[in-house]
Amino acid sequence: MKTNLLGLDAAGLAAFFQTLGEKPFRARQVLQWVHQRRESDFARMSDLAKDLRAKLVQRATVAAPQIVGDHVAADGTRKWLLKVDGANAVDAVFIPETSRGTLCVSSQAGCTLDCAFCSTGKQGFNRNLSTAEIIGQLWLANRLLGGERPVTNVVMMGMGEPMLNLDNVIPALRLMLDDNAYGLSRRRVTVSTSGVVPGMDRLRDECPVALAVSLHAPNDALRDRLVPVNRKYPMRELLKASQRYLEKAPRDFITFEYVMLDGVNDSDAQAQELAGIAARISCKFNLIPFNPFPQTEFRRSPPERIRRFAEILQRKGITVTTRKTRGEAIDAACGQLAGEVADRTRRTRGKKTLRIAEVRA
């Protein structure tokens, strides 16, 4: 089987060239060809010796996930449905803004955590994405969007829980940061977690980038319901892990994501509880208007309620932003990503396969 070079960071690529009897500096050249020039044809890598190009044709490939859906919303948000195998496809979303272009990347086909308000978790879980499948989303986006560097920021907030796939996520992050690949700063790459504490500690030690924590509740009782992983890693442990992360984080704060659910977590009293959390850790809050999906029990908090909630936090000196909903019409907004997943979790009775014609070869 050929080696997919999209799945190798600088160290992995140097080791690969060693197996070919080539010098390590070839890794730098090929990183630039693949990730900066977005080249997949070894014959066009003109500064490589012909015999090396011939070896690469025999032993390697540059293979990104297959695009089976491409949708653009009126606001310019673009969502790709990417086939990763015969049964599964994942979503990647590009959000253009005046000063930057943000790509939302998936890390798993589905998600095991089953947060109550998230469409992705309702689709079940099949498997982790490989490094090549993760970085392939960025490679494809840059290739399809054109321009020198259309993607300036990456948020790992798509399908899946990144902290449960760090063996593949960390090499992908290293490629994003590598000056010979994508050259993004640590401040421009954000990993989101629902609160998997051991993963937060490992990411802190191995590749600290900006961190966003999906909080969504001000106390354990409510968070147990909304974010089930809280039963394993309750808020006390989560906040301690967040404090540890700040020791190596590229920013001096943690972002707490908070989806606004009408009548569930949006009261004045709950805002006051959140202010108490903020007094214990350097953080900012990102309030996210809930994005509905079929069969959900939740409703979006009214705009005035969101404004009032933010105001209570701001009066305590807390930095608060309210996320502008983007891509809702094409199901590309936060919490709406579903892809297509062959569900192999124990949550469902038997094996449930979500079959959509687009995913078939």
Side-chain angles (χ1 to χ4, degrees), residues 221-252:
L222 180 57
R223 196 164 192 269
D224 282 352
R225 173 191 165 197
L226 297 179
V227 187
V229 74
N230 193 72
R231 299 165 195 161
K232 187 171 184 179
Y233 305 112
M235 289 181 63
R236 181 178 178 182
E237 292 185 31
L238 175 59
L239 295 177
K240 286 182 178 179
S242 298
Q243 196 70 261
R244 291 193 297 272
Y245 197 91
L246 282 173
E247 296 170 4
K248 295 186 179 180
R251 293 177 172 174
D252 59 359

Side-chain angles (χ1 to χ4, degrees), residues 8-63:
L8 300 179
D9 61 12
L13 200 54
F16 172 73
F17 278 114
Q18 189 173 18
T19 69
L20 299 182
E22 299 287 341
K23 294 183 178 180
F25 78 88
R26 295 297 186 191
R28 182 183 69 253
Q29 290 178 290
V30 173
L31 277 173
Q32 292 171 347
W33 274 107
V34 171
H35 299 287
Q36 294 183 355
R37 305 185 194 185
R38 305 150 203 167
E39 183 58 71
S40 60
D41 186 346
F42 298 122
R44 289 201 284 262
M45 297 183 182
S46 54
D47 60 353
L48 302 182
K50 287 186 178 180
D51 62 336
L52 174 54
R53 281 181 268 172
K55 286 183 189 178
L56 290 173
V57 169
Q58 294 297 317
R59 297 279 299 275
T61 186
V62 177

Side-chain angles (χ1 to χ4, degrees), residues 107-116 118-129 158-165 193-196 224-233 337-338 341-348:
S107 59
Q108 295 178 313
C111 186
T112 63
L113 297 186
D114 196 22
C115 293
C118 183
S119 177
T120 304
K122 304 307 176 188
Q123 303 304 309
F125 173 77
N126 191 7
R127 66 173 177 85
N128 289 326
L129 298 187
M159 295 175 66
E161 167 54 63
M163 300 301 179
L164 296 179
N165 186 23
T193 180
S194 293
V196 180
D224 282 352
R225 173 191 165 197
L226 297 179
V227 187
V229 74
N230 193 72
R231 299 165 195 161
K232 187 171 184 179
Y233 305 112
L337 303 187
V341 179
D343 184 4
R344 295 179 185 169
T345 66
R346 296 180 181 177
R347 288 200 311 273
T348 55

Side-chain angles (χ1 to χ4, degrees), residues 67-73 77-82 91-92 140 144-145 330 358:
I67 300 170
V68 292
D70 188 344
H71 304 281
V72 182
T77 299
R78 188 170 179 180
K79 182 177 80 168
W80 295 283
L81 182 67
L82 304 174
D91 293 315
L140 277 172
L144 292 167
L145 294 166
I330 57 172
E358 283 185 314

